[in-house]
Amino acid sequence: MRLSRSLLLCTAALIGGFSSSAALTAKAVAADAQPAATQSAAQQPQQAKPAADPNMLLATVNDQKITLGDVQRAATTLPPEARQLQPAVIIPLLINQLIDQKAIQIQADKEGLASKPVVKAAMEAAANNVLQNAYLEEQVAPKLTDAALKDYYQAHYASKKPEEEVHARHILVDSEAKAQSIIRQLNKGADFAKLASHLSTDKASGGTNGGDLGWFKRGDMIPDFSNVAFSMKSGSITQKPVHTQYGWHVIQVLGTRTAPVPSFEQVRDQIRRDLIRQEVRKVVEAAEKQAHIVHYDAKGQPITSAPAAAAPATPAPAAH
């Protein structure tokens, strides 16, 4: 039986107080809801609303309950655009979705799917993943403070000298002879972009981009390429093909500049991602130090020393 409209509206009023002790998305939902709650409290300071009871029963499927807490948890998984909808719209959809899920789960249980090896392994993997993520979040989230983000900005951005950047385009071919032929054509006035679109084997920057790599810093490209590009003057073309592991390059520098130091707000999101990766790595390494780890070879014999991590591959020139 579906909820009555009056109960829906009641539930809609209660669900404004989403809360969660772990999920960052839940915190975001709570933050979104906070201004409205604050305004309501300011308008009626004498009337304190009771906290919504997460055990409030909203529906049952056979003997399985669907509570307000279930709906609140489901709401934290909604994408940002869905959270903009009115609660009176979101809540019935979530309740019906939970009813559908319960009905399917009941049928799956009747057929004993949970005992099938493949399903059981997938369920265990999902449970392990939830546990691992919860632990990482518990360890990392408290460290993502505004102070930590600003300290990272000072150390990695504000204190660094502005870096030189080059705007260049290139034509990549598979032989020195082809590259020399292209240089001769360019010296006679051939259009660089047209030659790149027809002859370059670098499809990422060729075609409609005309070989344009955009602005890049020295460390963005492989050394053999960067060393030449950063030694050239604006408007010049290499008179000798540049050989790298990818082939033979003809480079034209379109401009040079000193990149300004970005503001904190410009890089805030990137800093947050970098801090998350940094802190997760620390948590993982600390956990591994407390564990006894053994590697085995193809014959099932213990390996006395752990295999060395593979060195990262040098990236190819890419547009930025």
Side-chain angles (χ1 to χ4, degrees):
M1 181 177 180
R2 300 303 189 200
L3 284 166
S4 67
R5 180 172 177 80
S6 60
L7 182 54
L8 274 176
L9 293 176
C10 175
T11 310
L14 291 173
I15 205 164
F18 291 143
S19 64
S20 172
S21 60
L24 292 175
T25 51
K27 293 176 183 176
V29 174
D32 291 341
Q34 186 61 37
T38 304
Q39 182 180 7
S40 176
Q43 292 171 348
Q44 299 178 357
Q46 74 282 8
Q47 296 180 357
K49 290 186 177 181
D53 181 6
N55 296 317
M56 175 182 175
L57 185 63
L58 301 181
T60 59
V61 183
N62 286 358
D63 58 346
Q64 297 191 23
K65 298 178 180 180
I66 295 174
T67 66
L68 176 60
D70 295 327
V71 175
Q72 289 174 330
R73 284 187 290 274
T76 66
T77 66
L78 292 173
E81 58 271 18
R83 295 193 203 118
Q84 304 305 315
L85 298 174
Q86 292 295 321
V89 175
I90 296 175
I91 293 168
L93 294 175
L94 290 175
I95 293 173
N96 289 340
Q97 182 183 57
L98 290 171
I99 289 172
D100 294 343
Q101 292 171 353
K102 288 286 188 184
I104 292 295
Q105 183 179 339
I106 289 170
Q107 293 304 313
D109 286 339
K110 284 182 179 179
E111 296 186 16
L113 287 180
S115 62
K116 287 192 173 182
V118 173
V119 177
K120 185 176 181 180
M123 291 172 66
E124 290 176 353
N128 289 338
N129 188 56
V130 169
L131 184 61
Q132 293 159 17
N133 287 339
Y135 179 75
L136 287 172
E137 188 165 349
E138 186 178 81
Q139 297 296 313
V140 172
K143 299 177 182 178
L144 303 178
T145 63
D146 283 342
L149 267 61
K150 289 176 181 177
D151 287 345
Y152 190 97
Y153 173 77
Q154 290 296 324
H156 294 83
Y157 291 91
S159 64
K160 302 293 183 181
K161 292 181 179 180
E163 288 189 70
E164 184 183 2
E165 289 186 331
V166 163
H167 181 197
R169 54 185 178 181
H170 79 143
I171 301 172
L172 177 64
V173 290
D174 58 8
S175 74
E176 184 177 12
K178 289 181 182 178
Q180 289 172 335
S181 173
I182 290 170
I183 292 172
R184 288 193 294 270
Q185 294 178 63
L186 292 171
N187 288 338
K188 292 178 181 179
D191 185 276
F192 195 104
K194 288 183 179 178
L195 289 180
S197 63
H198 291 121
L199 302 176
S200 183
T201 59
D202 182 4
K203 301 306 178 184
S205 65
T208 56
N209 289 333
D212 197 339
L213 297 169
W215 290 96
F216 56 88
K217 296 179 176 63
R218 185 179 292 271
D220 293 337
M221 302 295 179
I222 55 178
D224 289 339
F225 188 95
S226 280
N227 290 339
V228 174
F230 278 82
S231 68
M232 296 170 61
K233 293 181 179 180
S234 180
S236 63
I237 296 173
T238 49
Q239 295 303 300
K240 180 180 178 182
V242 179
H243 188 222
T244 72
Q245 64 197 75
Y246 301 101
W248 298 86
H249 306 259
V250 177
I251 305 171
Q252 181 183 36
V253 170
L254 301 176
T256 61
R257 70 183 183 186
T258 300
V261 176
S263 69
F264 174 71
E265 290 303 325
Q266 287 176 317
V267 293
R268 182 188 182 98
D269 291 342
Q270 181 60 49
I271 289 174
R272 191 174 186 279
R273 290 191 290 269
D274 290 344
L275 269 180
I276 289 173
R277 283 193 291 267
Q278 174 181 298
E279 295 301 329
V280 165
R281 178 43 29 199
K282 288 180 180 178
V283 172
V284 171
E285 289 176 352
E288 290 181 348
K289 285 180 180 179
Q290 298 183 56
H292 178 61
I293 301 171
V294 180
H295 291 266
Y296 295 86
D297 60 22
K299 296 180 179 179
Q301 298 300 313
I303 300 173
T304 55
S305 60
T314 303
H320 289 269

